[in-house]
């Protein structure tokens, strides 16, 4: 075993109380609290926005706008969701506003819906054969809504009900879209495999 | 569970992959269902891809960096260390996402790559120091370690000091011991990848590896029988690659030559009063140990959780 074993652990997101306190202090205009909030959530928000936009500079601008919105709107947080859900929902709105007017790849509801199959189809088999680097490449080729959903579920630390809250869709729809996203991912992998 | 299918609902599968809690019924099902374990593995691969992309977005492609974990074609829990590395890689990506832009002063960061100074201050925790080295001897409740700088350091412990030990410690799996086993299951036999001895510990939580709790019976070098609370007897095989974690250990369980990570307060006499100790038995001698961990703040619970995780994901290099 020649690999150097690198192991990094990150503590769970148990800082809900701290986050709420941070928002309270931000609402009072404390810049140090804003800095702490940025450190706590900036990377997650950036990663999520980057996943959707695919453009680093644009993503950073959106994160800046998001944090500005937090600075001005901290007092409006009512504690009905986690702070992480709240800030990601803000980022999502900022992203949508910035991308409005651009020609985006259109994904209709049918392609986002669940596509059940009776057995392991080529998409599943492609996923079973895939390596991590291939999966990463395939995720980049997914439609933005699929990338957004996968990022929220696996990159943001949100539960599925929280994801449903951010996307403002029912939990069942989140599940079906998640299945569809994986099917689309498998399809990309399958196509790439056939082209090799 | 899915009311229309004998298999787990996607919410349970995702919860398993993301390390969230699933109920006992779902966990029991996952233990015995090849289909659902395959689904967990597929979702785990998707999750790794997302996290990898997130990390790439911050630091550039991970694939371009040496020593990073890459998923191989054989992905069905073929070995505990490959699995551990996958988990570590995902956790690394998550950490990249979590530590914030700029200086992460709110975190304790521990790096044990054998190039560190004797005693390292922990940013953001003025009362906390970090040390790592090789255990030379145990004097009652005190440990003498040779630090990375080659200097001896006395580490004092108390009854409240958290101490974990991990490594190929099969001899710690004894009859009557309460254990939690993680591993792949085939035809009713679990190939033990990670065995936690004693009370379950939250830091030992590897998504994708289903834990089964019980009591050890018929322990031998090749394995043991796990007796669950319902009386079910499950054969468990172990090997030299099985990672054994003892999250609540005592100094008497430590042996010379083991790698030690300590977080504590420096005393005026040059000793380090340990808040927590992670002891790691290498799987092979002579390897270079790379361990890095972070905790959320400077609280005792955060220190314990982080050091427990260090022990849980320890490993060796060749």
């Amino acid at each position: 075993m020649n690999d150097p074993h690198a192991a990094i652990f990150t503590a769970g997101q148990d800082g809900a109380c701290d986050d709420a306190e941070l928002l309270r202090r931000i609402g009072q205009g404390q810049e140090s609290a804003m800095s702490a909030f940025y450190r706590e959530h900036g990377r997650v928000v950036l990663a999520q926005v980057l996943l959707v936009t695919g453009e680093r500079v644009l993503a950073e601008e959106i994160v800046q706008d998001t944090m500005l919105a937090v600075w001005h709107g901290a007092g409006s947080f009512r504690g009905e969701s986690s702070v992480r859900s709240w800030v990601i929902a803000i980022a999502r709105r900022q992203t949508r506003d910035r991308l409005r007017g651009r020609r985006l790849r259109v994904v209709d509801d049918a392609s986002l819906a669940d596509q059940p199959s009776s057995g392991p189809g080529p998409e599943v088999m492609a996923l079973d054969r895939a390596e991590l680097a291939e999966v990463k490449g395939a995720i980049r080729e997914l439609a933005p809504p699929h990338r957004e959903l996968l990022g929220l579920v696996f990159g943001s630390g949100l539960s599925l009900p929280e994801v449903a809250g951010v996307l403002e869709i029912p939990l069942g729809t989140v599940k079906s879209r998640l299945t569809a996203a994986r099917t689309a991912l498998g399809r990309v992998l399958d196509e790439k495999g056939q082209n090799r | 569970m899915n009311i229309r299918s004998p298999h787990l609902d996607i919410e349970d599968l995702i919860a398993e992959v993301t390390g969230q809690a699933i109920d006992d019924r779902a966990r029991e099902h996952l233990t015995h269902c090849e289909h659902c374990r395959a689904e967990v593995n597929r979702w785990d691969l998707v999750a790794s891809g997302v996290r990898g992309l997130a990390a790439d977005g911050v630091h550039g492609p991970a694939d371009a960096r040496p020593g990073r974990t890459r998923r191989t074609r054989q992905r069905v829990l073929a070995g505990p260390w490959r699995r551990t590395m996958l988990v570590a890689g995902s956790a690394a990506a998550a950490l990249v996402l979590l530590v914030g832009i700029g200086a992460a002063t709110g975190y304790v960061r521990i790096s044990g790559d054998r190039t560190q100074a004797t005693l390292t201050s922990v940013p953001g925790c003025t009362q906390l120091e970090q040390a790592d080295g090789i255990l030379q001897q145990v004097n009652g409740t005190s440990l003498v370690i040779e630090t990375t700088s080659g200097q001896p350091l006395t580490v004092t412990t108390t009854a409240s000091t958290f101490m974990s030990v991990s490594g190929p410690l099969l001899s710690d799996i004894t009859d009557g011991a309460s254990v939690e086993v993680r591993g792949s299951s085939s035809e009713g036999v679990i190939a033990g990848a990670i065995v936690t001895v004693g009370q379950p510990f939250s830091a030992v939580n590897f998504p994708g590896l289903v834990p089964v709790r019980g009591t050890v019976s018929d322990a031998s070098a090749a394995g043991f029988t796990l007796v669950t609370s319902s009386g079910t007897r499950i054969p468990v095989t172990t090997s030299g690659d099985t990672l054994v974690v003892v999250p609540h250990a005592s100094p008497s369980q430590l042996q010379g030559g083991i790698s030690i990570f300590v977080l504590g307060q420096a005393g005026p006499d040059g000793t380090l009063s340990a808040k927590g100790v992670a002891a790691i038995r290498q799987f092979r001698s002579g390897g270079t140990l790379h361990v890095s961990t972070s905790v959320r703040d400077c609280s005792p619970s955060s220190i314990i959780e982080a050091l427990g995780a260090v022990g849980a994901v320890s490993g060796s290099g060749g």
Side-chain angles (χ1 to χ4, degrees), chain B residues 260-299:
Chain B
I260 299 285
F261 292 80
V262 187
L263 279 173
Q265 293 179 336
D269 55 354
T271 63
L272 185 62
S273 176
K275 298 291 184 185
V277 176
I280 300 166
R281 169 70 64 190
Q282 304 275 6
F283 274 70
R284 288 184 188 179
S285 60
T288 301
L289 185 65
H290 295 269
V291 175
S292 180
T293 190
S294 293
V295 294
R296 194 175 186 83
D297 51 43
C298 314
S299 67

Side-chain angles (χ1 to χ4, degrees), chain B residues 81 165-170 242-245 279-283 311 314:
Chain B
W81 289 113
V165 189
S166 60
L169 310 171
L170 294 179
T242 300
L243 171 63
V244 180
V245 182
I280 300 166
R281 169 70 64 190
Q282 304 275 6
F283 274 70
S314 61

Side-chain angles (χ1 to χ4, degrees), chain A residues 159-182:
Chain A
S159 65
L160 292 194
E162 287 178 318
V163 171
V166 169
L167 296 176
E168 298 176 342
I169 56 178
L171 176 59
T173 306
V174 170
K175 294 180 184 179
S176 60
R177 288 187 180 181
L178 201 48
T179 302
R182 201 186 79 175

Side-chain angles (χ1 to χ4, degrees), chain A residues 51-127:
Chain A
L51 197 61
V52 175
T53 64
E55 296 179 30
R56 173 75 189 221
V57 173
L58 175 61
E60 289 179 345
E61 289 176 0
I62 291 172
V63 172
Q64 294 296 331
D65 291 346
T66 300
M67 292 302 166
L68 193 61
V70 170
W71 176 251
H72 289 303
S76 67
F77 178 71
R78 295 190 296 274
E80 295 170 350
S81 65
S82 70
V83 171
R84 176 61 57 78
S85 297
W86 181 72
V87 69
I88 286 179
I90 293 174
R92 186 169 186 264
R93 287 193 291 273
Q94 296 285 343
T95 304
R96 186 185 56 200
D97 291 346
R98 292 294 291 268
L99 295 179
R100 186 173 290 152
R102 290 194 182 195
R103 289 189 62 186
L104 291 176
R105 183 176 168 186
V106 176
V107 180
D108 58 31
D109 285 344
S111 67
L112 289 174
D114 195 3
Q115 297 172 2
S117 62
S118 57
E123 297 90 356
V124 171
M125 290 190 286
L127 197 57

Side-chain angles (χ1 to χ4, degrees), chain B residues 113-182:
Chain B
D113 59 3
R114 307 286 294 147
T115 60
Q116 299 293 306
T118 302
L119 215 56
T120 308
S121 60
V122 176
C125 300
T126 56
Q127 300 294 315
L128 216 52
E129 303 279 350
Q130 169 209 338
D132 61 274
I134 303 298
L135 180 65
Q136 300 301 309
Q137 59 182 5
V138 179
N139 297 326
T141 57
S142 295
L143 316 176
V144 179
I145 66 173
E146 181 185 337
T147 63
T148 52
S149 64
Q151 298 298 312
L153 173 69
T154 298
V155 178
T156 60
T157 70
T158 67
S160 63
T161 299
F162 169 79
M163 185 174 293
S164 74
V165 189
S166 60
L169 310 171
L170 294 179
S171 60
D172 282 350
I173 302 175
T174 56
D175 284 357
S178 175
V179 297
E180 191 170 68
V181 179
R182 287 174 168 79

